[in-house]
Amino acid sequence: VQLQASGGGTVQAGGSLRLSCRGSGHSFSRYSVGWFRRAPGKEREFVAAIGWNIGRTVYADSVKGRFTISRDNAKKEAYLQMNSLKPEDTAEYYCAAQSSGVLSSPTYGYWGQGTLVTVSS
């Protein structure tokens, strides 16, 4: 499966952005999708993930209550709605997909290119 992330941009603190991850291939609905981010000078970290059956979602503590992950299998897309953004959310955001595995682990087999999110104070 190939992934393409989009929706990044520059926003003021407290603002919102919605990232999209478009998948190709007829098996997209059978893959879990995760969002990860890498801030300048920092390691890549897990943000959120959603299971292939939609019912299960997992969030990093740092984004709980502010970010919401969702997916539309008919459109082969996943989304990350980011509200109440903070300057520390500034990072390159990546979507990834896997057919099995721990949702919060960075061992996903398929990765899209990053989309940059910049939150100004």
Side-chain angles (χ1 to χ4, degrees):
V1 62
Q2 292 183 322
L3 305 170
Q4 184 172 2
S6 62
T10 300
V11 64
Q12 288 188 329
S16 299
L17 280 175
R18 187 196 195 204
L19 304 184
S20 297
C21 177
R22 173 168 291 183
S24 63
H26 60 276
S27 299
F28 179 80
S29 63
R30 303 294 297 189
Y31 287 81
S32 299
V33 176
W35 286 96
F36 294 78
R37 67 187 182 187
R38 177 175 285 158
K42 294 188 177 181
E43 298 289 321
R44 181 177 57 189
E45 66 174 354
F46 168 75
V47 176
I50 185 167
W52 66 270
N53 62 352
I54 298 181
R56 185 180 177 203
T57 57
V58 180
Y59 295 93
D61 288 342
S62 59
V63 306
K64 278 181 182 176
R66 300 189 298 123
F67 291 10
T68 302
I69 189 170
S70 61
R71 67 188 296 166
D72 185 334
N73 286 335
K75 294 182 177 179
K76 298 182 181 179
E77 291 186 345
Y79 311 100
L80 185 68
Q81 177 65 45
M82 306 186 296
N83 298 329
S84 302
L85 283 162
K86 305 175 181 179
E88 50 263 45
D89 293 319
T90 294
E92 191 88 11
Y93 283 71
Y94 301 85
C95 63
Q98 62 178 0
S99 57
S100 63
V102 177
L103 291 180
S104 60
S105 171
T107 55
Y108 284 62
Y110 303 94
W111 292 82
Q113 89 292 354
T115 185
L116 180 62
V117 172
T118 302
V119 184
S120 60
S121 57

